[in-house]
Amino acid sequence: MDNPFSLVRASDYTNEQINSLWVELGENIIDTIIEPKLKISKFILGGKGSGKTHLLRYYSYPVVRLRNTELSGLETIKKQGFLAVFLRATGLDAARFETGSGSNLKWTQLFAIYLELRLAEAVLNSLCDIAASSDENFNDEEFIKEIGDGINNKDFFECSNVADVREWAVNEKKKIDEAVNNAAFTDTLDVKIPFSLGSLCLALNHALYKWCPNLKHIPVIYLIDEIENFSVEQQKVVNTLIRYGEGYITFRISGRLYSRKTSKTLGDGEENREGSEYKITQLDYMLRNYKEFNNFAKRFISKRFLATANINEGDIKASFDPSLSMDVVSSNDYFLGVIEKLDFEDIEALVKSKFHNALYKNGKSGVLLKEVDEIVETLTVGFPLILQKLNFLIFCKRINKADSYIGLAHWVKEQASLHMSNSLDSKDYYFVSYSHYSYDLLAQITKESKNSVDFPYAGFDTFVKMSSGNMRSLLIILGRLFAIAKFKGVDFGGPEKLSVEMQTEAAIESAQFLYESDSNFGEASDKAREAVLRLAQLLRTARYALNIPEVSPITVSFSDSDLNETARFVLNNALNYSFVFEISSGRPDRNSQRINRKIQLNPLLSPKWGLPVGRRGDLSLNAETLNSIFDQAHYQEFKLILAKLRDKWNDPFKKSVPEVDQGELF
Amino acid sequence: MIINEYFLYYRRSIDVDSINCELGPFDVFVSAYNSSDRVRTVFEDVRASRKIWLMHPEYKYAPIEYPDNGEYVAPEERNEKSQVEELIQALEGTDFNNICIDITGFMRHVLIFLIAKLKFIGVKKLKVVYSEPKFYRSQEDTQFSTVTSGTVGPVMGMAQGSDSEGDDYLLLGVGYDHELIGEVVNNKDSAKVYPIFSFPSLSPDMYQQSALRASKSGDVALEKIWQVNKRFFPANDPFAIASILSDVVKEVTYKDPKANIYISPLSTKVQALGFSFFWLKESKKYSSSLTIILPQCITYSRETSSGINRLWEYQIEF
């Protein structure tokens, strides 16, 4: 059986597959994202794998046509209520309009004409199909006359129908291709521009009505994918078309989160304004908060699996629930199942010695070795390993409020005993602490084991959580898992569940893939990757500390005004390439009540550093720490800051840590 | 019997211990300077009336580091047109039919455009040499391009507009730079990919090393198509490379006459030469469009290899 979860790039989906894929999500949701009837243009922004290309293609004429095979092209458009055509920005190879000689303005103009010809060509392709599939009499003469008003090219006026116009557009495009090529050798850009900006692609809507009065209220929508591939000047061209086309021609443009390089238009550089000339939808955010994503994911995965499996073999059920194929991490008996598999020389001694040393070395003056021994004994004897660790942690957290060390130790012991006998209320401090910190403490135990077992990542729900609403991310993990299971001779979906170890291996490989292989976009992604490594180092230092500063540390918060220019640029790129996500709610600053920005590591990356996948607490970063993470120039400072934080979080009894702004750090 | 034209071009290996006997004399010898032994050895040993170093800005040599054993041309701009124009200007008055270019240290985009430009200005034939390394310094971890701008685009003058009704195809010359592969594939993520590996490679271990590196190229390397569409061509023969490329292009065009074919040589400089030569020979032959694309490098490693294994001479005839 082939890997049912192997990645399929957008290109590999046929128009038929695009239709079947989105059936699951439902047309209403797609309509909400694309808003085809909206009178202004719209940017649809999101990370890789968020489905931008599919969404745009879903509305393009050829795909719409396939959903309505019983209808003619004309009937399809009337039923749909709009005519949308799809263009991939990379298809223009726009870089060649950037590097030529001569004035930049001339190259930008040429790009604009070329873009219009491409858009018009796509519309004309659709019209040719509409004409061929319908008995209606189309008024080609009026169509040509309407467009001809803005065309200054004698070849155009030899056209007698839409097919000729299409041919003309193709030929004009070829002339530009040739002129651009020749300019590289001759230094002369020898091409006559056949029309001025907007005269072709913006005129098509009126021409459509003249061609076929039945299409009077049918708007034309240009769907442009991957706008980040256009330069600033080229995006100005698009912005200008958006501005001039308002009302009768609109655009739906997709790109990464920070793919928009300018909102200016050509000429006087007037800016398009959000809400006035365009709207923005952030697809990632929408999908991350899509409540039905878990069910959608389950159906999607099940469908993929069953489509690939030979269901006639009889060993595959007609329905398939991926969650039943995977073992999960059992938290029973304080993670006994996980801890039993670990190989320790003397873990208890190791755990104790860290706490013991910290307390003895830096504790209140006058803490005697004997007293320290008693505290350690009180907090550990008779408790499972994870509770021993939790007891130390709670001791660290409560030390400042305690009158006596011994008294605190006994209170913690009492609470731990009550927890073990299930006598605590779910709101009790100890109970809450256990539910918050248990996985962080388990991570520490796995790290401290002699055989360096990885912190476990397992279970379908965990993987869905890690995918953060991005189906491609889920496929990356499951694809790896399938391959590993196959290699080890275990059937995915067979009677034997996939072990936690196998799943963890798949999760780590997926994280490695995302970090190293999946985001190569040159200098910008390289710098973002380095910054994310530093961020992860900080989070890891927090999670594996004796006194874990925040529960499940995967998120940081900071004031936007603290970012220097470079750090802001790098952070934007980290968001762009989905290394991190922005949490839209933000977090109020404890002192000023100002809303801080909140950034979370992409949980798909978490296994690379043994970090959590769920978000709970966040580390508040001061300006110095923030810029040392996101600005490579401050790398040396970062090393220093990290060392100090490591010291502080592992030496909770130390009275002061110089040069660290504790107030702002937490 | 139909003879494959590409097999008729002249190529020979030169004994690396007798370069000064076997290679030249030339009116001009041009080489791109970097810190690899193989580039400097050939430059020193070759017989030529004039020897010119092309100082690519991507290597970031400061003037104080420039070699003093020949003339040099040091373009400031990175784009291929500027670099080639400065070089051609330095060659003014030369009989272009007796020049030799060592492509070993050349930046790919400059090399590809240079070959096209020489054809454009009427050069009929040209001698080209390439020295194979004994090994790459860090085996499969060798870093070639160090920083790229993130822009992937056509080599100037070597793009043909795509057909809106045709599908995109990407014929990828696979080398060690998995980041570059990733960049090109990401840029053409609508394309059906044909990875073409260098096999036989320059030395037996290099195929394994490049395959290892290429496996880190992102989602494309995980796809079935990476295996199904895999092709091979030798690493050190530009004519054989052009011939195989020609076969793949024919195959694609046969299946899809409106195909938009992008070719991207990311392996040896010989491969870049083969791609350029093929484009010049055949780009107007097909109904499909053919475009050479490359990621834009900002910096490039000065030294990636050790020693000279073999030295090759090729005669390019336009």
Side-chain angles (χ1 to χ4, degrees):
Chain A
M1 177 176 165
D2 287 338
N3 192 331
F5 313 117
S6 62
L7 283 180
V8 179
R9 296 184 307 143
S11 58
D12 299 323
Y13 283 107
T14 61
N15 288 342
E16 290 90 338
Q17 285 168 328
I18 296 282
N19 279 324
S20 62
L21 184 73
W22 287 104
V23 165
E24 284 290 342
L25 206 51
E27 196 147 343
N28 286 343
I29 288 179
I30 307 171
D31 266 358
T32 316
I33 298 167
I34 298 281
E35 294 190 86
K37 303 283 170 66
L38 192 68
K39 294 281 184 198
I40 57 173
S41 294
K42 191 168 185 186
F43 288 90
I44 295 133
L45 307 178
K48 192 172 184 173
S50 55
K52 305 182 296 287
T53 304
H54 293 151
L55 281 167
L56 294 192
R57 278 180 66 186
Y58 184 81
Y59 276 129
S60 67
Y61 175 78
V63 181
V64 171
R65 189 87 162 84
L66 281 172
R67 289 203 292 277
N68 298 281
T69 45
E70 73 290 353
L71 302 177
S72 69
L74 184 64
E75 288 165 337
T76 304
I77 290 302
K78 278 160 68 181
K79 180 184 163 198
Q80 192 73 23
F82 56 87
L83 170 62
V85 293
F86 175 79
L87 175 69
R88 214 181 282 270
T90 51
L92 269 72
D93 295 316
R96 66 198 161 122
F97 295 94
E98 280 287 297
T99 49
S101 58
S103 78
N104 284 337
L105 182 64
K106 200 168 178 188
W107 283 98
T108 304
Q109 277 178 339
L110 197 60
F111 165 79
I113 299 302
Y114 198 84
L115 173 66
E116 282 205 52
L117 287 166
R118 279 299 297 259
L119 292 170
E121 188 188 345
V123 172
L124 291 160
N125 283 340
S126 308
L127 298 190
C128 288
D129 179 74
I130 290 169
S133 63
S134 169
D135 295 331
E136 183 106 1
N137 283 324
F138 297 101
N139 195 335
D140 288 326
E141 200 179 318
E142 279 296 311
F143 179 83
I144 290 164
K145 201 173 148 202
E146 179 70 25
I147 296 179
D149 282 349
I151 308 283
N152 175 27
N153 179 285
K154 68 177 172 50
D155 293 344
F156 177 82
F157 295 100
E158 286 170 17
C159 298
S160 55
N161 53 42
V162 287
D164 289 346
V165 179
R166 182 194 174 280
E167 200 59 31
W168 168 81
V170 170
N171 285 334
E172 288 303 310
K173 211 162 52 79
K174 278 186 182 158
K175 282 184 200 167
I176 296 176
D177 288 329
E178 207 144 306
V180 170
N181 269 357
N182 289 340
F185 300 106
T186 61
D187 230 3
T188 312
L189 187 54
D190 186 18
V191 63
K192 203 172 166 201
I193 287 177
F195 52 86
S196 57
L197 179 64
S199 303
L200 180 62
C201 77
L202 299 186
L204 281 170
N205 189 268
H206 286 306
L208 195 63
Y209 158 59
K210 299 275 176 164
W211 187 60
C212 175
N214 272 337
L215 297 177
K216 186 173 182 184
H217 296 295
I218 300 292
V220 172
I221 304 175
Y222 294 120
L223 311 164
I224 301 182
D225 194 19
E226 299 172 348
I227 190 73
E228 57 268 31
N229 290 293
F230 289 163
S231 68
V232 173
E233 288 305 308
Q234 291 165 348
Q235 290 199 2
K236 281 185 191 172
V237 170
V238 176
N239 291 339
T240 308
L241 291 173
I242 287 175
R243 197 176 181 86
Y244 290 158
E246 204 180 332
Y248 46 97
I249 293 266
T250 59
F251 289 76
R252 300 293 178 274
I253 297 171
S254 78
R256 290 186 182 257
L257 204 54
Y258 288 91
S259 56
R260 294 175 63 242
K261 297 168 185 169
T262 181
S263 54
K264 286 187 175 167
T265 54
L266 287 173
D268 54 8
E270 230 175 306
E271 299 212 8
N272 285 349
R273 284 162 302 149
E274 187 175 353
S276 176
E277 277 83 22
Y278 64 88
K279 269 178 86 173
I280 293 180
T281 285
Q282 291 194 8
L283 204 51
D284 288 332
Y285 177 75
M286 209 164 174
L287 290 170
R288 273 206 299 276
N289 294 292
Y290 176 47
K291 289 194 180 110
E292 287 300 306
F293 184 75
N294 202 315
N295 290 333
F296 169 58
K298 210 170 258 186
R299 285 200 304 274
F300 181 88
I301 294 302
S302 168
K303 219 171 184 180
R304 271 263 193 141
F305 183 83
L306 293 171
T308 315
N310 184 353
I311 53 171
N312 294 325
E313 282 174 6
D315 56 343
I316 305 294
K317 295 172 196 134
S319 66
F320 168 71
D321 183 346
S323 61
L324 300 177
S325 300
M326 300 175 199
D327 236 338
V328 290
V329 177
S330 166
S331 57
N332 291 344
D333 296 327
Y334 298 102
F335 295 99
L336 191 63
V338 179
I339 294 171
E340 259 180 355
K341 290 180 188 166
L342 303 176
D343 183 8
F344 300 114
E345 218 151 71
D346 191 350
I347 181 72
E348 294 202 13
L350 182 72
V351 168
K352 284 178 195 170
S353 70
K354 270 190 175 178
F355 177 81
H356 189 285
N357 292 344
L359 185 58
Y360 185 63
K361 192 170 65 175
N362 293 307
K364 221 190 299 180
S365 58
V367 180
L368 300 172
L369 182 59
K370 199 178 148 200
E371 195 179 340
V372 174
D373 286 343
E374 189 188 337
I375 292 167
V376 171
E377 205 179 304
T378 307
L379 294 173
T380 55
V381 172
F383 295 118
L385 198 51
I386 204 139
L387 286 197
Q388 292 180 29
K389 274 194 158 278
L390 181 65
N391 292 348
F392 289 147
L393 179 63
I394 291 176
F395 188 90
C396 295
K397 298 268 176 219
R398 311 257 317 178
I399 191 82
N400 290 335
K401 292 176 189 163
D403 296 332
S404 96
Y405 281 17
I406 295 285
L408 175 60
H410 280 286
W411 177 81
V412 174
K413 179 183 178 177
E414 186 193 349
Q415 293 295 305
S417 303
L418 288 170
H419 191 273
M420 285 183 73
S421 60
N422 290 324
S423 309
L424 286 179
D425 188 82
S426 63
K427 286 178 185 160
D428 284 341
Y429 180 83
Y430 195 96
F431 191 97
V432 172
S433 298
Y434 180 78
S435 64
H436 281 182
Y437 288 105
S438 56
Y439 281 88
D440 293 330
L441 296 170
L442 181 67
Q444 293 189 0
I445 292 170
T446 54
K447 181 176 169 251
E448 284 155 0
S449 73
K450 198 176 142 195
N451 46 351
S452 293
V453 170
D454 296 302
F455 173 70
Y457 298 87
F460 186 73
D461 289 343
T462 301
F463 295 148
V464 169
K465 192 189 271 183
M466 286 168 70
S467 70
S468 310
N470 186 313
M471 195 55 79
R472 182 175 179 274
S473 296
L474 185 59
L475 286 173
I476 289 173
I477 305 173
L478 296 185
R480 293 277 157 153
L481 181 55
F482 185 91
I484 291 167
K486 193 173 179 181
F487 182 74
K488 294 187 173 171
V490 180
D491 277 344
F492 197 118
E496 187 185 342
K497 283 191 174 185
L498 304 176
S499 69
V500 169
E501 290 75 18
M502 223 183 266
Q503 294 177 63
T504 302
E505 193 181 336
I508 292 170
E509 279 190 19
S510 303
Q512 198 72 18
F513 171 77
L514 177 67
Y515 182 73
E516 279 187 0
S517 310
D518 197 36
S519 300
N520 286 312
F521 295 91
E523 194 178 14
S525 59
D526 291 346
K527 288 193 171 158
R529 190 179 296 112
E530 286 160 13
V532 164
L533 173 63
R534 291 191 285 276
L535 175 66
Q537 284 171 342
L538 177 85
L539 296 170
R540 185 174 165 84
T541 302
R543 192 184 207 201
Y544 290 86
L546 181 61
N547 185 13
I548 304 168
E550 286 290 346
V551 183
S552 195
I554 190 178
T555 310
V556 292
S557 65
F558 54 86
S559 164
D560 184 67
S561 59
D562 283 344
L563 283 165
N564 71 28
E565 201 181 325
T566 307
R568 185 183 304 280
F569 179 72
V570 172
L571 172 61
N572 285 351
N573 282 321
L575 288 161
N576 234 7
Y577 301 119
S578 304
F579 289 132
V580 293
F581 300 142
E582 180 127 28
I583 312 300
S584 69
S585 55
R587 172 202 208 267
D589 184 86
R590 283 177 192 167
N591 301 322
S592 65
Q593 290 311 304
R594 176 183 56 194
I595 299 291
N596 277 346
R597 285 180 75 179
K598 224 168 166 182
I599 299 294
Q600 175 198 350
L601 184 79
N602 181 342
L604 190 62
L605 286 171
S606 290
K608 181 171 167 56
W609 296 286
L611 289 170
V613 296
R615 169 167 57 86
R616 203 178 276 273
D618 61 272
L619 293 169
S620 174
L621 305 180
N622 60 18
E624 194 189 10
T625 311
L626 178 67
N627 290 316
S628 75
I629 291 171
F630 289 103
D631 182 354
Q632 170 76 25
H634 295 276
Y635 178 58
Q636 292 304 330
E637 284 164 60
F638 173 75
K639 286 204 288 191
L640 204 66
I641 290 169
L642 189 65
K644 283 177 180 170
L645 289 175
R646 185 178 290 117
D647 188 36
K648 175 181 170 177
W649 292 334
N650 286 290
D651 247 347
F653 311 111
K654 207 172 184 176
K655 284 298 144 211
S656 63
V657 181
E659 296 174 46
V660 174
D661 184 354
Q662 186 170 355
E664 285 198 46
L665 195 68
F666 300 106
Chain B
M1 189 175 99
I2 300 168
I3 296 177
N4 184 331
E5 189 197 339
Y6 289 111
F7 293 158
L8 302 178
Y9 291 99
Y10 185 71
R11 75 277 259 174
R12 68 177 179 126
S13 70
I14 292 168
D15 183 353
V16 289
D17 295 323
S18 57
I19 294 172
N20 56 357
C21 301
E22 289 197 43
L23 196 60
F26 303 108
D27 289 348
V28 183
F29 181 80
V30 177
S31 183
Y33 182 78
N34 69 23
S35 307
S36 299
D37 303 334
R38 49 185 177 143
V39 170
R40 292 190 287 189
T41 305
V42 175
F43 192 86
E44 276 161 19
D45 290 357
V46 68
R47 286 173 296 146
S49 309
R50 284 177 72 194
K51 294 183 183 180
I52 300 176
W53 283 118
L54 174 60
M55 306 298 298
H56 284 302
E58 289 86 349
Y59 286 123
K60 300 266 178 202
Y61 283 107
I64 200 168
E65 299 173 284
Y66 287 4
D68 54 9
N69 60 344
E71 301 170 43
Y72 57 81
V73 174
E76 284 181 7
E77 287 187 41
R78 285 195 309 268
N79 79 65
E80 54 272 32
K81 184 165 173 278
S82 302
Q83 295 201 45
V84 166
E85 273 172 4
E86 284 201 40
L87 180 62
I88 299 278
Q89 219 167 14
L91 293 172
E92 218 168 72
T94 307
D95 174 8
F96 277 96
N97 291 308
N98 193 30
I99 66 169
C100 179
I101 298 171
D102 181 355
I103 61 172
T104 311
F106 262 75
M107 296 300 301
R108 291 186 187 91
H109 63 308
V110 178
L111 170 62
I112 291 168
F113 185 70
L114 174 63
I115 300 298
K117 180 77 179 185
L118 290 173
K119 186 186 178 204
F120 178 79
I121 62 174
V123 175
K124 297 286 177 223
K125 59 183 181 181
L126 173 73
K127 284 221 167 77
V128 168
V129 292
Y130 175 75
S131 50
E132 294 181 10
K134 277 204 169 112
F135 54 85
Y136 290 118
R137 285 191 171 252
S138 310
Q139 284 78 43
E140 71 270 20
D141 294 325
T142 307
Q143 190 78 15
F144 291 84
S145 63
T146 48
V147 180
T148 57
S149 71
T151 300
V152 176
V155 173
M156 290 172 78
M158 304 181 94
Q160 291 180 324
S162 53
D163 189 316
S164 61
E165 288 189 311
D167 286 334
D168 290 352
Y169 296 81
L170 176 61
L171 278 47
L172 202 58
V174 175
Y176 279 51
D177 269 321
H178 70 275
E179 293 96 343
L180 296 190
I181 298 172
E183 276 187 47
V184 173
V185 171
N186 281 330
N187 184 268
K188 291 290 168 209
D189 76 346
S190 61
K192 295 177 172 64
V193 179
Y194 285 73
I196 314 182
F197 284 78
S198 291
F199 189 82
S201 47
L202 298 181
S203 68
D205 52 336
M206 287 181 189
Y207 171 70
Q208 310 295 343
Q209 291 168 10
S210 82
L212 264 175
R213 281 287 292 276
S215 67
K216 296 178 181 170
S217 304
D219 52 5
V220 69
L222 303 179
E223 289 174 32
K224 209 174 166 184
I225 205 167
W226 190 255
Q227 302 304 328
V228 175
N229 286 349
K230 190 186 277 187
R231 302 285 192 280
F232 301 96
F233 44 31
N236 55 9
D237 185 341
F239 307 116
I241 288 169
S243 168
I244 289 160
L245 199 51
S246 173
D247 290 342
V248 183
V249 168
K250 271 186 210 121
E251 181 189 325
V252 171
T253 308
Y254 178 75
K255 281 190 224 160
D256 183 356
K258 291 183 174 179
N260 303 310
I261 304 175
Y262 293 92
I263 57 178
S264 189
L266 301 175
S267 184
T268 59
K269 308 301 161 59
V270 175
Q271 191 188 80
L273 175 66
F275 275 50
S276 182
F277 189 58
F278 162 74
W279 193 91
L280 292 168
K281 283 267 172 205
E282 301 202 27
S283 62
K284 293 197 172 129
K285 215 165 122 181
Y286 302 99
S287 57
S288 52
S289 68
L290 269 176
T291 299
I292 305 184
I293 54 167
L294 285 174
Q296 198 176 66
C297 288
I298 298 173
T299 62
Y300 205 82
S301 296
R302 294 173 173 187
E303 195 172 12
T304 54
S305 62
S306 283
I308 304 183
N309 190 20
R310 281 181 295 189
L311 179 64
W312 290 94
E313 182 188 75
Y314 315 105
Q315 179 147 315
I316 304 292
E317 292 174 48
F318 296 115

